[in-house]
Amino acid sequence: MVASFVGLLLVASALFVGVWAMFYGVFFLIGSTHPALIAAGITAVIVVAIGYLEYGHLETIERLSDARPVDRETAPELYQTATRVAAQLDVPPPTIAVSERDAPEALVVGFRPTNVRLVLSRGTIETLERPDELEAVIAHELAHVKNRDAMVMTVVSLPVVLAAGLRSRLARIDHPGIVIAVFLVFLANAVWVVGRFLTAHLSRARERAADRAAAEVIGSPTTLASALSRLDREISETPEHDLRDASAVSSLSILPLEPADPETVMLGPEGDTEPSYWWFRKRLHRLERRFFGTHPPTTDRLEALSRLERES
């Protein structure tokens, strides 16, 4: 985890220094006074502007999850469970929201522990028939609150967000500044790829930490493992269009809400012929999940919980 933090710091530094160096070179060549200072000012303005635009235009996760708040009167058992688990983890009780989606979603929204919303879908509540399994899932999500993972991941993902914003805006440039744009696009792409890899590695580590914390709080790693197995099977059986609807919150949910393989695009007059390149597309998709996935494979998480059960 420390290596990921250091790597992301280096990636962010590379982005800032690269942008600064490019503008420094431009103003130095045209004979401007104080080119270093001018380049630093322009770089700072670009970084702040892109960061504001990227974060300012994101829809809230609550809206993306299409969840509605519930309280002690409308969902007494859910309220009591969440309040009890929050007390065990020594975090404030969350506001609870339930979405009507069939996809099994479970996530927390909010940067500060005092202002957190726990979002659960009907798919999750109905899939977890045993109350202790639902408690284990809630414990996992509130462990993220205890560890302040939302704040940590938001900060460390800043280089990726800035690089993505820079890429999308530079792609529209078609005037003489294209030479500068090509350099910045190359830099932004490199930062985006490396930053995504490191951010995903850190995210997987935070998921494992939340699993351990939840298992300790409920006193049963087996129960959390059972809940993850049920949710994983439910995701595999969920229609792809339902998973696409939930894709916006996939990285925040307890399990990624996406199919193991990409949706097949069939060819031929009858639409029943698989493209000859599809084997390569599936392999590429699996490699992408391996290196850029925000969650560890469910099998790895189950094995870790099994080891924890034996040790305890």
Side-chain angles (χ1 to χ4, degrees):
M1 191 166 359
V2 174
S4 296
F5 276 115
V6 173
L8 285 165
L9 179 61
L10 292 176
V11 166
S13 300
L15 177 64
F16 301 151
V17 171
V19 174
W20 174 87
M22 187 213 56
F23 282 110
Y24 173 81
V26 170
F27 287 105
F28 178 81
L29 290 174
I30 64 177
S32 298
T33 56
H34 307 297
L37 187 60
I38 296 174
I42 293 177
T43 301
V45 170
I46 289 175
V47 168
V48 171
I50 291 177
Y52 172 78
L53 290 171
E54 289 298 305
Y55 281 115
H57 286 80
L58 289 176
E59 295 180 294
T60 65
I61 298 298
E62 297 167 48
R63 192 181 309 128
L64 292 172
S65 63
D66 194 26
R68 298 291 181 269
V70 297
D71 53 23
R72 187 197 300 267
E73 286 71 30
T74 55
E77 294 182 2
L78 188 58
Y79 181 89
Q80 291 172 7
T81 300
T83 301
R84 182 176 64 254
V85 172
Q88 291 174 304
L89 284 166
D90 193 26
V91 297
T95 300
I96 304 172
V98 176
S99 77
E100 297 300 325
R101 288 179 176 163
D102 294 327
E105 305 169 12
L107 58 143
V108 286
V109 182
F111 295 106
R112 300 191 307 273
T114 54
N115 186 28
V116 165
R117 177 163 293 193
L118 171 66
V119 179
L120 300 169
S121 68
R122 287 293 175 192
T124 294
I125 296 172
E126 293 172 0
T127 298
L128 302 176
E129 301 171 350
R130 290 165 41 188
D132 59 340
E133 291 180 343
L134 182 58
E135 180 182 11
V137 168
I138 292 173
H140 171 95
E141 292 306 320
L142 294 186
H144 282 304
V145 179
K146 176 72 173 179
N147 297 335
R148 295 183 179 270
D149 286 336
M151 182 179 296
V152 170
M153 294 308 300
T154 298
V155 172
V156 300
S157 65
L158 180 60
V160 179
V161 172
L162 291 175
L166 195 58
R167 289 195 321 164
S168 64
R169 285 161 179 80
L170 289 173
R172 305 168 193 162
I173 294 180
D174 57 0
H175 51 70
I178 190 65
V179 175
I180 294 176
V182 167
F183 171 79
L184 289 179
V185 166
F186 175 80
L187 176 64
N189 280 327
V191 169
W192 183 79
V193 171
V194 177
R196 270 197 68 195
F197 174 78
L198 294 173
T199 302
H201 184 273
L202 181 61
S203 177
R204 292 193 293 269
R206 307 303 286 186
E207 290 295 334
R208 294 187 184 98
D211 282 347
R212 289 194 298 271
E216 292 172 2
V217 165
I218 64 175
S220 175
T222 302
T223 301
L224 178 58
S226 175
L228 291 177
S229 295
R230 286 182 186 271
L231 293 176
D232 192 60
R233 286 195 300 270
E234 183 66 19
I235 290 172
S236 66
E237 297 171 0
T238 300
E240 289 188 356
H241 65 83
D242 289 337
L243 293 180
R244 284 196 296 271
D245 290 342
S247 62
V249 298
S250 176
S251 63
L252 298 177
S253 190
I254 189 169
L255 289 173
L257 302 169
E258 55 189 34
D261 291 317
E263 184 179 1
T264 304
V265 178
M266 305 302 286
L267 303 177
E270 304 297 330
D272 57 356
T273 304
E274 185 177 280
S276 58
Y277 62 84
W278 203 246
W279 65 272
F280 177 75
R281 178 68 183 88
K282 288 193 291 187
R283 184 165 297 179
L284 193 63
H285 178 78
R286 289 169 184 170
L287 285 174
E288 183 180 1
R289 291 191 66 176
R290 178 180 177 183
F291 291 110
F292 300 117
T294 55
H295 295 68
T298 304
T299 52
D300 291 356
R301 296 170 70 176
L302 297 180
E303 290 174 4
L305 290 168
S306 179
R307 289 194 299 270
L308 190 60
E309 179 71 26
R310 290 194 299 269
E311 292 171 0
S312 62

